[in-house]
Amino acid sequence: MLTASELESTAYRKVTWRLLPFLMMCYVVAYLDRVNIGFARLQMLDDLGFSETVYGLGAGMFFIGYFLFEVPSNLILHRVGARLWVGRIMITWGLVSALFMFTTTPAMFYALRFLLGVAEAGFFPGIILYLTYWYPAEWRVRMIALFMTAVPIAGVIGSPLSGWIMESFAGVAGWAGWQWLFLLEAMPAIVMGVAVMIYLDNGIQSASWLTEEEKALLERRLEADREAVVVHPSLAAVFADRRLWLLCAIYFCYVMGHYGLTFWLPVLIQTAGVEGTIQIGLVTAVPYIVSVVAMLLIGRSADTRRERRWHTALPMIVGAVGLTLSAVAGAHTTAAVACLALAAAGVFSAGPVFWGLPTAFLGGAAAAAGIAAINSVGNLAGFVSPYAVGWLKDLTSSTEAGMYAVSAALVVGALAVLVIPPRLVNR
């Protein structure tokens, strides 16, 4: 006969092994399709005659579509369930991503990036919401951190893979390497979208692989957790909550640094003196590998200590220091890569702990709307950041000014995190 503690550990172990590897695989696929534009840039700018400003604006257009459709998408997921809606999202974005291979003009590039944002809207906040259907607050940061390690894992896998595709497939069937990149990396999204519709359960009660005793225990843990959640009587009350808009501002600053790093990382590695798409891909994997370890350690520490604020703010500051030092290092390859690894460890580690902040006081439909609002408003920085860095690069012929700008945004965001009352989120 299992004790209550042993039954709880067994139940959460089953949930984690059932859900997290699969969700991580979905996010790896999602992130590859979102940021492979950073590698495609190494060839397509010259092939199509695009400037750095055109590239930066196009990279950022994704987030305009993302912003406009994020909240409606998450509310639909809350209503119809993750199985149907996440599957639809993945199939749609796979189809749009494949169309990038036909890009010929800036207008077409902008339109497809916008449509990709529309297609993918709701995926990330939807999964964050979905995890609240299974895990109470004391487990949540670890699980979000585990899920979000998919981002650096996508970098570890995708960077060498993207470099290899672009070099090995260049000229095959008359297509450029970057065209093959978009086609081949879009196909897994469609396959995974179908798999989601078959495999994923909408919640605890529909999970046939849990016993009735385990279901009852998990539901009791969530019910106890909901007692600490602030009740918002309407969606209008959610959007009138000033804490929500503070979190939007913090996340905007975080995303400035996040996409300042991820969209431009291949270029920064190239600037550091690494040549050849395959070599750039291999070296680009190094900061991502370091960040996987950092994310898991910081996430576990945040949950163990029940502390969220400093576990978010300090990694953001570390990320800013790393980005600034990488700009100073310039063409000194080893120093620059080490600084970028430090930046990646800080930036990627802050993200999962940040998402422990809103989920600590939002629940139900309020969580669906609030998480989506934070993600959509914050991700407008995904438009601003690559465009600003590209514009500054065209203006100064260097990425240094852009890295200083996104580093400053990270520091501002870190200071804003410390404004949040500890009693609200540290549980």
Side-chain angles (χ1 to χ4, degrees):
M1 184 71 176
L2 294 176
T3 65
S5 177
E6 289 171 336
L7 180 62
E8 180 176 321
S9 296
T10 299
Y12 279 117
R13 192 179 304 115
K14 287 173 70 173
V15 170
T16 300
W17 279 107
R18 171 79 182 190
L19 297 181
L20 266 297
F22 183 75
L23 294 175
M24 288 171 64
M25 196 182 309
C26 292
Y27 199 28
V28 166
V29 171
Y31 210 78
L32 283 176
D33 283 342
R34 185 187 298 188
V35 302
N36 59 11
I37 192 70
F39 266 93
R41 174 210 167 278
L42 299 173
Q43 291 181 355
M44 71 183 294
L45 262 63
D46 289 337
D47 287 357
L48 301 178
F50 290 177
S51 68
E52 297 286 359
T53 303
V54 167
Y55 164 74
L57 179 58
M61 284 299 293
F62 169 93
F63 296 98
I64 302 299
Y66 202 72
F67 168 76
L68 293 174
F69 289 87
E70 188 88 329
V71 173
S73 181
N74 227 33
L75 290 172
I76 292 171
L77 184 148
H78 183 63
R79 181 178 294 272
V80 306
R83 172 184 286 181
L84 175 64
W85 199 245
V86 172
R88 191 284 305 164
I89 288 171
M90 296 192 72
I91 292 169
T92 307
W93 95 54
L95 294 172
V96 173
S97 187
L99 292 175
F100 274 86
M101 65 183 295
F102 301 112
T103 301
T104 55
T105 66
M108 187 181 297
F109 181 49
Y110 299 153
L112 285 173
R113 286 293 293 177
F114 175 83
L115 290 174
L116 187 65
V118 172
E120 196 181 321
F123 176 78
F124 177 79
I127 299 300
I128 299 299
L129 176 66
Y130 181 67
L131 291 176
T132 69
Y133 298 164
W134 298 87
Y135 295 101
E138 66 190 75
W139 283 77
R140 207 167 288 149
V141 170
R142 273 173 290 174
M143 295 304 107
I144 294 173
L146 187 58
F147 168 65
M148 289 184 67
T149 56
V151 174
I153 288 171
V156 173
I157 297 170
S159 298
L161 178 64
S162 297
W164 176 78
I165 289 172
M166 289 174 61
E167 192 159 302
S168 301
F169 281 77
V172 175
W175 292 346
W178 60 268
Q179 291 175 297
W180 279 107
L181 176 68
F182 285 125
L183 176 63
L184 295 178
E185 291 192 353
M187 293 169 66
I190 299 170
V191 174
M192 289 301 296
V194 174
V196 165
M197 293 185 174
I198 298 170
Y199 182 84
L200 207 62
D201 295 291
N202 284 330
I204 293 171
Q205 291 306 318
S206 62
S208 60
W209 39 273
L210 290 172
T211 67
E212 291 304 316
E213 188 178 15
E214 289 168 340
K215 289 179 182 179
L217 183 147
L218 295 177
E219 290 284 11
R220 285 197 302 272
R221 296 288 285 107
L222 287 178
E223 188 58 39
D225 194 59
R226 290 187 192 107
E227 293 176 1
V229 171
V230 177
V231 177
H232 292 84
S234 66
L235 290 181
V238 176
F239 292 111
D241 191 331
R242 287 178 295 180
R243 295 169 300 188
L244 179 74
W245 297 107
L246 174 61
L247 290 171
C248 287
I250 293 167
Y251 198 56
F252 184 94
C253 293
Y254 168 77
V255 174
M256 282 288 291
H258 180 93
Y259 284 113
L261 176 66
T262 54
F263 275 128
W264 291 92
L265 188 55
V267 179
L268 296 171
I269 296 294
Q270 186 180 50
T271 302
V274 180
E275 298 179 354
T277 51
I278 292 179
Q279 288 75 18
I280 291 172
L282 290 170
V283 176
T284 299
V286 173
Y288 288 118
I289 292 171
V290 173
S291 63
V292 169
V293 178
M295 287 174 75
L296 295 175
L297 292 176
I298 297 296
R300 177 173 290 276
S301 175
D303 271 352
T304 301
R305 292 172 170 77
R306 303 272 183 108
E307 201 291 318
R308 314 297 187 204
R309 294 157 71 250
W310 286 103
H311 281 81
T312 304
L314 287 179
M316 290 175 72
I317 292 171
V318 169
V321 171
L323 284 171
T324 299
L325 292 177
S326 73
V328 173
H332 298 283
T333 306
T334 303
V337 172
C339 293
L340 288 170
L342 179 68
V347 169
F348 287 122
S349 296
V353 190
F354 169 83
W355 285 111
L357 305 179
T359 56
F361 67 91
L362 293 173
I371 292 168
I374 292 165
N375 198 56
S376 61
V377 173
N379 268 296
L380 286 176
F383 171 79
V384 175
S385 182
Y387 178 70
V389 175
W391 178 74
L392 288 169
K393 190 172 187 294
D394 275 342
L395 189 68
T396 65
S397 300
S398 170
T399 55
E400 286 185 25
M403 292 305 102
Y404 296 149
V406 297
S407 296
L410 283 169
V411 172
V412 170
L415 295 175
V417 169
L418 301 178
V419 174
I420 301 170
R423 67 181 182 281
L424 183 68
V425 294
N426 287 346
R427 60 184 185 87

